[in-house]
């Protein structure tokens, strides 16, 4: 009887050990995908950040000139065109002047780009899942309209997360060596705006930014992904294989950037002007030496549109469009290609619509 009790206890102990081993195995299997997912997220964020930093630095002089053209007073024209504007900055501020505000821009664009690309992938996966559930077709792919929606979501999330840095970057960028007041850097600008104008000032121009980011980022992703899919499926003129060459992807990025920025550009101009409101020294910087040194006052986005068109004409909504067009083609192209190349190097699967 005693031997039977011992045997039963031994069998029970062995069973418990086996169960514990099975539970440990299952736990390891559950942890594995989780850690893999975290690593994949980190790699995706790194790729997006690198893409943003590289692309913006490459076109920093054109980015600064665009902002200066957007906010300069029509009665005191210092920057008159792309070539003249770049020459004027070089002559008055030197090589450093061409890259003024780029450090702040990169501090903003690296996390912005990381969040934007990552958000686009996650939004695309979520929208594709819902679309397949709704249609009952497990092989369905994202349509251009659905890509537009995913891109819009990504743009709004990324822009909202980093908007205060974009706001102070705009102010730092329009400073010149002769400006009466100098922000010494991004953190000094952030603290100064908070102290003198309050927290809400960091989000001036947010509304036109949200409205503008929907067509801009949405169209960027929608046009880029749709062009890639079309080229791979149709192989026009026999120029495209199953994998797109870097040059072809650059061309797709250029087309995407051109479409997006042309549609959303007026909202970008209004955003920049609204960011200057409340800055004590904005009038001297924006008005320059002209006769119209009056306080910059807009009650909102509609008022900013109305006053800009009333006093400067519809063309004012497209100030800086030429340098921005010259800038946006290489900027968007480099960003998309750099993102995909970095993800390739890190060994992360890119396509989300398969």
């Amino acid at each position: 009887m005693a031997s039977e009790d011992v045997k039963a206890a031994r069998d029970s102990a062995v069973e418990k050990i086996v169960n514990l081993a099975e539970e440990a195995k299952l736990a390891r299997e559950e942890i594995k995908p989780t850690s893999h997912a975290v690593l994949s997220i980190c790699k995706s964020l790194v790729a997006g950040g690198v893409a943003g930093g590289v692309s913006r630095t490459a076109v920093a002089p054109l980015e600064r000139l665009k902002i200066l053209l957007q906010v300069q007073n029509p009665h005191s024209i210092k920057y008159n065109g792309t070539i003249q504007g770049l020459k004027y900055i070089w002559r008055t501020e030197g090589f450093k002047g061409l890259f003024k505000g780029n450090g702040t821009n990169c501090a903003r664009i690296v996390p912005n780009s990381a969040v934007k690309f990552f958000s686009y992938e996650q939004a695309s996966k979520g929208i594709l899942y819902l679309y397949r559930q709704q249609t009952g077709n497990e092989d369905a792919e994202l349509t251009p309209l659905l890509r537009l929606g995913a891109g819009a979501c990504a743009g709004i999330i990324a822009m909202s997360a980093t908007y205060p840095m974009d706001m102070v970057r705009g102010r730092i960028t329009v400073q010149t060596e002769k400006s009466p007041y100098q922000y010494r850097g991004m953190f000094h600008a952030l603290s100064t705006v908070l102290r003198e104008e309050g927290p809400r000032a960091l989000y001036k121009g947010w509304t036109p930014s949200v409205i503008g980011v929907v067509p801009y980022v949405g169209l960027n992703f929608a046009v880029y992904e749709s062009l890639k899919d079309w080229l791979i499926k149709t192989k026009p003129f026999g120029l495209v294989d199953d994998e797109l060459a870097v040059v072809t992807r650059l061309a797709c990025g250029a087309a995407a950037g051109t479409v997006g920025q042309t549609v959303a550009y007026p909202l970008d101009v209004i955003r920049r002007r609204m960011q200057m409101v409340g800055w004590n020294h904005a009038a001297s910087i924006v008005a320059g030496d002209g006769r119209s040194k009056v306080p910059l006052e807009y009650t909102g986005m509609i008022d900013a549109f109305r006053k800009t068109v009333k006093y400067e004409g519809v063309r004012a909504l497209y100030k800086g469009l030429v340098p921005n067009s010259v800038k946006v083609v290489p900027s968007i192209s480099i960003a998309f290609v750099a993102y995909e190349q970095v993800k390739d190097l890190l060994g992360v699967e890119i396509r989300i619509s398969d």
Side-chain angles (χ1 to χ4, degrees), residues 104-122:
T104 308
N105 195 23
C106 285
R108 174 192 70 90
I109 204 64
V110 167
N112 178 282
S113 184
V115 172
K116 182 172 65 180
F117 278 102
F118 176 71
S119 298
Y120 176 74
E121 291 192 350
Q122 299 309 306

Side-chain angles (χ1 to χ4, degrees), residues 12 22 40 67 77 81-82 134 149 152 154 170 204 208 226 245 256 273 280 284 345 352:
S12 176
E22 287 294 327
S40 179
I67 296 174
I77 302 296
T82 306
Q134 186 181 22
K204 284 177 178 177
S226 298
R273 294 191 168 207
N280 293 334
S284 58
L345 289 173
I352 46 79

Side-chain angles (χ1 to χ4, degrees), residues 252-315:
C252 291
T258 301
V259 172
Q261 67 96 28
T262 302
V263 172
Y265 194 78
L267 288 157
D268 189 52
V269 172
I270 296 304
R271 171 182 63 144
R272 290 295 172 206
R273 294 191 168 207
M274 290 180 70
Q275 287 175 349
M276 302 299 142
V277 175
W279 185 15
N280 293 334
H281 300 280
S284 58
I285 290 173
V286 177
D289 302 319
R291 61 180 181 275
S292 182
K293 287 191 177 182
V294 294
L296 299 171
E297 292 295 340
Y298 301 123
T299 58
M301 183 183 72
I302 302 300
D303 185 52
F305 264 111
R306 184 180 60 81
K307 286 180 178 175
T308 299
V309 173
K310 180 180 178 181
Y311 295 115
E312 301 175 52
V314 176
R315 290 182 63 184

Side-chain angles (χ1 to χ4, degrees), residues 25-40:
K25 183 180 178 183
L26 289 171
R28 283 198 303 272
E29 289 176 353
E30 288 177 3
I31 291 170
K32 234 178 181 180
T34 303
S35 61
H36 176 74
V38 170
L39 182 61
S40 179

Side-chain angles (χ1 to χ4, degrees), residues 210-248:
V210 169
I211 297 171
V213 84
V214 171
Y216 181 64
V217 179
L219 285 170
N220 280 347
F221 280 109
V223 173
Y224 181 73
E225 293 288 346
S226 298
L227 268 177
K228 278 174 53 184
D229 281 355
W230 178 75
L231 288 170
I232 290 172
K233 289 175 181 176
T234 62
K235 296 181 173 58
F237 312 113
L239 298 175
V240 178
D241 296 322
D242 291 334
E243 290 293 328
L244 296 181
V246 171
V247 174
T248 307

Side-chain angles (χ1 to χ4, degrees), residues 5-327:
D5 290 340
V6 170
K7 185 178 179 182
R10 185 182 62 201
D11 291 344
S12 176
V14 170
E15 185 178 354
K16 285 182 179 178
I17 292 171
V18 170
N19 288 338
L20 286 171
E22 287 294 327
E23 288 177 8
K25 183 180 178 183
L26 289 171
R28 283 198 303 272
E29 289 176 353
E30 288 177 3
I31 291 170
K32 234 178 181 180
T34 303
S35 61
H36 176 74
V38 170
L39 182 61
S40 179
I41 290 170
C42 291
K43 287 179 177 179
S44 181
L45 291 170
V46 168
V50 170
V54 170
S55 65
R56 286 310 173 97
T57 300
V59 296
L62 291 165
E63 176 71 11
R64 187 182 182 215
L65 177 61
K66 178 200 76 171
I67 296 174
L68 288 168
L69 286 167
Q70 284 178 337
V71 301
Q72 77 171 340
N73 190 284
H75 302 297
S76 179
I77 302 296
K78 290 182 178 179
Y79 311 98
N80 188 16
T82 306
I83 303 301
Q84 182 276 335
L86 291 173
K87 285 182 177 179
Y88 183 85
I89 294 172
W90 177 275
R91 188 172 67 254
T92 57
E93 301 180 59
F95 179 77
K96 287 177 65 176
L98 295 172
F99 289 86
K100 182 167 285 185
N102 186 55
T104 308
N105 195 23
C106 285
R108 174 192 70 90
I109 204 64
V110 167
N112 178 282
S113 184
V115 172
K116 182 172 65 180
F117 278 102
F118 176 71
S119 298
Y120 176 74
E121 291 192 350
Q122 299 309 306
S124 296
K125 289 176 182 177
I127 290 172
L128 181 59
Y129 173 77
L130 293 174
Y131 182 58
R132 286 175 173 173
Q133 291 288 103
Q134 186 181 22
T135 60
N137 181 7
E138 289 300 317
D139 297 322
E141 295 184 1
L142 288 174
T143 65
L145 186 60
L146 293 176
R147 288 195 177 108
L148 178 65
C153 291
I156 291 171
I157 293 169
M159 183 274 298
S160 299
T162 59
Y163 191 81
M165 287 185 283
D166 180 66
M167 188 271 186
V168 298
R169 192 264 303 201
R171 292 194 176 186
I172 291 172
T173 300
V174 301
Q175 290 181 157
T176 66
E177 298 300 325
K178 296 180 180 179
S179 299
Y181 185 82
Q182 295 285 328
Y183 290 124
R184 295 192 295 271
M186 181 181 69
F187 294 109
H188 178 247
L190 284 169
S191 62
T192 302
V193 172
L194 274 172
R195 184 176 66 253
E196 295 183 355
E197 303 172 47
R200 290 183 63 183
L202 294 175
Y203 283 87
K204 284 177 178 177
W206 182 83
T207 301
S209 295
V210 169
I211 297 171
V213 84
V214 171
Y216 181 64
V217 179
L219 285 170
N220 280 347
F221 280 109
V223 173
Y224 181 73
E225 293 288 346
S226 298
L227 268 177
K228 278 174 53 184
D229 281 355
W230 178 75
L231 288 170
I232 290 172
K233 289 175 181 176
T234 62
K235 296 181 173 58
F237 312 113
L239 298 175
V240 178
D241 296 322
D242 291 334
E243 290 293 328
L244 296 181
V246 171
V247 174
T248 307
R249 282 184 281 171
L250 282 169
C252 291
T258 301
V259 172
Q261 67 96 28
T262 302
V263 172
Y265 194 78
L267 288 157
D268 189 52
V269 172
I270 296 304
R271 171 182 63 144
R272 290 295 172 206
R273 294 191 168 207
M274 290 180 70
Q275 287 175 349
M276 302 299 142
V277 175
W279 185 15
N280 293 334
H281 300 280
S284 58
I285 290 173
V286 177
D289 302 319
R291 61 180 181 275
S292 182
K293 287 191 177 182
V294 294
L296 299 171
E297 292 295 340
Y298 301 123
T299 58
M301 183 183 72
I302 302 300
D303 185 52
F305 264 111
R306 184 180 60 81
K307 286 180 178 175
T308 299
V309 173
K310 180 180 178 181
Y311 295 115
E312 301 175 52
V314 176
R315 290 182 63 184
L317 296 175
Y318 290 89
K319 281 184 173 180
L321 180 62
V322 174
N324 193 62
S325 298
V326 176
K327 175 212 74 168

